[in-house]
Amino acid sequence: MKTTMLWLTAVLLLPATLAAQTDPKSRPPPSTARPDGGVGPPASRIRIANRVYVGEAAPGFELTSANGTRVKLSRFRGDLILLAFADRREAFSPFGAVAESLRTMGVLLVGVCHGSPRSLRLLAERDSLRFELLSDPTGEVSAIYGAFDFATSTTLPAYVLVGRRGIVRLVVLGQTLRPDHLLQLTRYALTGL
């Protein structure tokens, strides 16, 4: 009788034991190839992602500007800043027309995109852009602000107004805004008019 009970217990536990084991021949997923020929992170890598909300502190960062200097968000403490995220540097050219109007409202425009510092400097010189342009080559800062699409590896259009004390006052994610609309929206966020 004892032998039969042991045999029955072993038969009942065998499927659960086999299910718990992993295949020793399984391998981690291969790295993904990028269009530039490099190798990207494995699919299982944990990605930095977040989203900012009105009333929260803006996440800090440090990026390289168009003139090659390192710029921290904390450098703008005491100023109103409008962070504009874009995938391509050319998206910032139309905003040159409203940068001065924003400045008269007390708001500094800061563009963030994948472009290299050198390409951003060339764009600023060519189009006479008089606002800060920052290079986010990895997309990590864009991801922290909720403006990065990992499926396509692109930065989505986004606008984040940060108050003088570093608190987020306005967030628009995934919408491309015309410069005049951005100006009106910023004015409304500041004055309610």
Side-chain angles (χ1 to χ4, degrees):
M1 183 73 178
K2 280 187 177 183
T3 308
T4 306
M5 287 300 283
L6 282 172
W7 170 233
L8 184 57
T9 304
V11 168
L12 290 174
L13 291 177
L14 183 63
T17 305
L18 290 176
Q21 293 180 356
T22 59
D23 181 12
K25 295 180 183 177
S26 68
R27 295 185 179 161
S31 296
T32 54
R34 295 189 315 224
D36 63 3
V39 176
S44 63
R45 179 177 171 199
I46 296 175
R47 297 178 176 129
I48 298 171
N50 195 17
R51 183 161 289 185
V52 294
Y53 296 95
V54 172
E56 294 182 343
F61 61 79
E62 183 175 346
L63 293 172
T64 304
S65 71
N67 63 14
T69 60
R70 297 294 290 172
V71 175
K72 291 184 178 184
L73 178 65
S74 59
R75 176 183 126 193
F76 299 105
R77 191 61 56 115
D79 293 320
L80 289 165
I81 63 164
L82 179 62
L83 297 171
F85 293 89
D87 192 51
R88 302 185 63 200
R89 63 189 173 105
E90 290 80 11
F92 297 126
S93 293
F95 293 104
V98 296
E100 187 59 38
S101 297
L102 286 168
R103 198 173 295 117
T104 60
M105 291 171 27
V107 178
L108 301 176
L109 181 61
V110 178
V112 180
C113 78
H114 281 294
S116 70
R118 182 179 183 275
S119 69
L120 293 175
R121 186 183 76 246
L122 293 174
L123 174 77
E125 290 171 357
R126 183 190 76 196
D127 294 349
S128 300
L129 299 180
R130 298 184 184 224
F131 57 90
E132 190 86 60
L133 294 174
L134 303 177
S135 173
D136 182 18
T138 63
E140 287 180 18
V141 172
S142 300
I144 290 170
Y145 277 80
F148 193 78
D149 181 5
F150 285 101
T152 60
S153 294
T154 57
T155 299
L156 303 171
Y159 309 93
V160 179
L161 180 63
V162 180
R164 297 182 196 285
R165 295 184 181 167
I167 303 299
V168 175
R169 297 185 63 173
L170 170 75
V171 177
V172 178
L173 296 176
Q175 299 287 321
T176 301
L177 298 177
R178 290 187 354 212
D180 58 326
H181 290 166
L182 182 61
L183 185 62
Q184 291 171 357
L185 188 61
T186 304
R187 183 177 291 120
Y188 182 77
L190 294 174
T191 65
L193 302 174

